[in-house]
Amino acid sequence: MENSRYPKFTFTWVGAVTLVVGLFVGTMAVSLFSTFWKVVFKENLELKDWFLMVANSVGFVGAIAFFDFFIVRRTTQKRLSFNLSSVNFSTYLIIFPMMAGMMFISEFITSLIPVSGPFFGDFYEYFTQLMNQLTDDPVVMIMMTVIMAPVFEEIIFRGIIQKGLINKGMAPWKAILYASIIFGIVHGNPWQFISAVMLGCVLGLVYHKTTSLLMPILLHAFNNLTLSLLFIYGKNESFAEVFKVSEWLILAVGVVLFSLFYYFFTKKYKVHYSEM
């Protein structure tokens, strides 16, 4: 591992600040460009459907670039890079059903969070309006949620935070949990927090076992694509609502799927690759 071509960096509070500063710089750069365009060409780019997608992408690129330049290269003398190799076909047949099972379980648990009342009602209404704005253009939504978000978010939360904590000496299960909790917090609402933490744990487990960042990226894209299609064609992100079945049935199917394929993944086949 010491001779790996991948940098063995660590993640500390300095790295966290570096990511935040990079995100801020990238976002500010987009904001300044938008202001310049508005003054010179009298056109408000912020009203364009694709603006949020571009702003988010530039912000993520800024965060990753800052972490690479100020942390990784200065501590390892290597550039930030990740293992993106594929795995054997049987592994794909295990991890995707396992992910689907956790998606069903997380839907049931998320459904228990209130969507009405003095606090949750107003918050949920605001969240719903925000989601409707983000989904005005299906093409932009698919590009942002299925392509860009999985790539950038997995690089940061699994590739940088989780891997950096493990490299620092933290127990893998703690690193997976902490990265998943941070992943949930940045979503900014209780409904996505629950699902992001639960799904993040699966993504983190798969990354730790396979050591290929491609795997959580594909699983993340699978999750977002499924929910996007549910929303586009069913006008709802709930499997139970779209297919008109009980949430308890969704939970039961989820528990069976996740338990069975988690066993295959961690016990029976003992899937574990090594990063060279």
Side-chain angles (χ1 to χ4, degrees):
M1 185 67 176
E2 295 301 327
N3 296 322
S4 171
R5 65 176 180 270
Y6 301 106
K8 193 173 182 180
F9 57 86
T10 59
F11 185 77
T12 64
W13 68 268
V14 177
V17 171
T18 302
L19 283 175
V20 172
V21 171
L23 179 66
F24 175 78
V25 170
T27 304
M28 285 301 299
V30 175
S31 179
L32 290 173
F33 178 80
S34 175
T35 301
F36 166 79
W37 193 274
K38 186 185 301 182
V39 171
V40 176
F41 297 102
K42 310 301 181 183
E43 182 181 16
N44 189 356
L45 296 179
E46 296 180 11
L47 299 178
K48 302 292 185 181
D49 292 335
W50 47 262
F51 180 81
L52 182 61
M53 177 180 66
V54 173
N56 285 341
S57 299
V58 174
F60 278 128
V61 169
I64 295 168
F66 266 56
F67 190 85
D68 178 27
F69 183 79
F70 292 107
I71 302 297
V72 178
R73 300 192 187 211
R74 297 194 175 191
T75 58
T76 69
Q77 285 71 55
K78 296 178 181 179
R79 66 181 180 84
L80 183 65
S81 60
F82 301 100
N83 176 16
L84 294 172
S85 61
S86 184
V87 296
N88 60 58
F89 186 67
S90 62
T91 302
Y92 287 98
L93 296 179
I94 294 173
I95 61 176
F96 278 90
M98 182 172 68
M99 185 66 171
M102 183 57 81
M103 290 168 62
F104 294 155
I105 296 172
S106 69
E107 175 179 312
F108 177 84
I109 295 178
T110 302
S111 71
L112 301 178
I113 303 176
V115 295
S116 60
F119 171 74
F120 286 103
D122 293 339
F123 196 177
Y124 186 74
E125 183 178 351
Y126 169 76
F127 170 64
T128 302
Q129 291 176 352
L130 180 62
M131 290 302 296
N132 288 334
Q133 292 175 358
L134 295 177
T135 56
D136 282 344
D137 188 333
V139 175
V140 172
M141 181 181 71
I142 293 295
M143 290 182 62
M144 184 165 62
T145 62
V146 181
I147 299 175
M148 294 182 176
V151 171
F152 290 131
E153 291 178 3
E154 290 312 304
I155 287 176
I156 291 177
F157 293 102
R158 253 57 64 180
I160 290 178
I161 297 178
Q162 177 181 310
K163 183 178 180 181
L165 289 174
I166 293 176
N167 288 343
K168 191 172 180 289
M170 182 177 290
W173 73 267
K174 286 185 178 181
I176 292 170
L177 180 60
Y178 290 166
S180 299
I181 291 175
I182 298 171
F183 182 52
I185 291 173
V186 300
H187 280 78
N189 65 82
W191 301 277
Q192 287 185 316
F193 171 80
I194 296 297
S195 59
V197 172
M198 297 179 69
L199 297 172
C201 287
V202 175
L203 297 172
L205 172 67
V206 170
Y207 180 44
H208 177 62
K209 287 285 189 178
T210 65
T211 71
S212 172
L213 194 61
L214 176 63
M215 297 304 104
I217 288 175
L218 292 178
L219 289 176
H220 195 153
F222 166 69
N223 172 76
N224 289 4
L225 176 61
T226 302
L227 296 181
S228 295
L229 292 177
L230 283 177
F231 192 87
I232 291 173
Y233 295 106
K235 305 304 179 185
N236 198 304
E237 288 188 349
S238 167
F239 290 99
E241 291 291 335
V242 172
F243 295 108
K244 307 301 181 184
V245 297
S246 167
E247 288 284 4
W248 288 98
L249 177 59
I250 294 295
L251 174 63
V253 173
V255 170
V256 171
L257 275 177
F258 179 76
S259 301
L260 179 63
F261 287 96
Y262 176 83
Y263 170 76
F264 287 152
F265 187 65
T266 60
K267 305 296 183 182
K268 185 173 178 58
Y269 294 124
K270 297 185 183 300
V271 175
H272 200 130
Y273 296 78
S274 59
E275 186 175 64
M276 301 303 293

